Amino acid sequence: MSRFLTERFTELEPYVPGEQPQNRQYIKLNTNESPFPVSDKARAEATRALDRLELYPDPDCKTLTRSLAGFLADKYSMDLTAENVILTNGSDEVLNFAFMAFCDGNTPAVFPDITYGFYPVFADMNGVPYREIPLDPEFRINPEEYAKAGGTLFIANPNAHTGIALSREEIEGIIRSNPDNLVVVDEAYVDFGGESCIPLIDKYDNILVIQTFSKSRSMAGARLGFGAASRELIVDLNTIRNSTNPYNINALTMAAGVGVLEDEEYTRENCRKIIENRKYTEEELRRLGFEFTDSTANFIFMKHPEYDGGRLYEDLKREGILVRHFTKERIAQYNRVTIGSRRQMEVFIDTLEKLLEEAGCKGEKERTNENS
Ligand code: PMP
């Protein structure tokens, strides 16, 4: 730390992203990326944009904003215009804008105790107090505990790191029970089986829905996310955006975004494969005696009753497989495993089987045989 850092940041604990090793080829199941390449149309548009790289990108991101609004209006059969959306540098950026715009000393942030680890960092960064509501013992959100929250709510749906989703009806209940609070619904993982709340932005002025192109659209490296909400909320978010970084979307990403939206069939097919691979992985994990939450995301949150979570993370890494382990006490026995290609998941399961055997742990199948 230099002697010039201002006092308000001396205690700031930054967010720690998942590992992105550059030295060794891992089977990377640690940061919920897509195992599939970006769509050909996105690639073609981005390549064309290379010819105009000497110019600044459009600060209003007009073409992409219009095509995204049209895409969402079609997808959810609703009235939605360019004024209802804001594009950002990953969904992390719109989340940060929301903390800046809609939280302060008098309006704390409110979120579950187990959720996306960036929320408390955004709060600290912006000098915003926050309250954490514990998930129930099965790691579920109880919507009743979110009524009259007394601040701006941040709900990842499906939740990180559990993958458990609330229904649109349950989120609507939370919105109704918070008429004077904004409810931010972070739908980073919604495309893998969740129910989007975008149709609710027509009905309520206190909901902001956030999505990303990082997961289902294979564009984590391009950094593209968006918020959808009432025109008024989008005006506020644009005030923050134009006061921090008006050129927040670079020209290549903007072009790739237009391309990928024209290739929805490809995105849908990839999501279908992830859901299928998730099902395969769950069945195999059950056979090996693992316990896991009911995920509608592109990851599984799992633990084994006879295998320490931190040790499993280390042992898998030694075997060339990266998963995500969190040290927070309540979830220290768990690992979060991204769903990759079928081949990656087969290697993952074979490796687990080998590790369990070496550690002398018994799978469910063997236990059942012993009992019969
Ligand atoms: N929300 C949640 C719940 C996430 O897990 C992530 C990914 N780490 C993000 C938002 C941010 O994703 P991105 O900035 O890549 O859009």
Side-chain angles (χ1 to χ4, degrees), residues 15 17-18 31-32 88-95 115-119 122 155-161 186-189 210-215 219-221 223-226 298-299 324 336:
Y15 176 70
T31 44
N32 300 340
T88 53
N89 191 310
S91 57
D92 279 340
E93 189 178 53
V94 66
L95 281 166
T115 190
Y116 186 28
F118 221 144
Y119 298 161
F122 284 136
I155 299 178
N157 193 46
N159 196 15
H161 315 286
D186 176 353
E187 297 186 347
Y189 301 106
I210 285 171
Q211 289 192 12
T212 179
F213 285 57
S214 293
K215 319 291 179 183
M219 279 178 54
R223 315 302 301 125
L224 189 61
F226 67 90
N298 66 338
F299 56 82
R324 190 90 199 255
R336 192 195 68 193

Side-chain angles (χ1 to χ4, degrees), residues 124-162:
D124 287 342
M125 172 73 195
N126 291 297
V128 166
Y130 61 88
R131 177 164 71 89
E132 293 176 303
I133 303 180
L135 296 180
D136 79 6
E138 269 76 53
F139 289 140
R140 293 183 178 277
I141 287 175
N142 175 2
E144 282 168 22
E145 292 181 76
Y146 290 73
K148 299 198 177 74
T152 300
L153 274 164
F154 289 82
I155 299 178
N157 193 46
N159 196 15
H161 315 286
T162 65

Side-chain angles (χ1 to χ4, degrees), residues 43-55 251-252 255:
R43 193 186 302 262
E45 291 294 336
T47 306
R48 252 197 297 279
L50 281 171
D51 292 338
R52 303 181 300 272
L53 223 44
E54 70 280 14
L55 303 178
L252 303 183

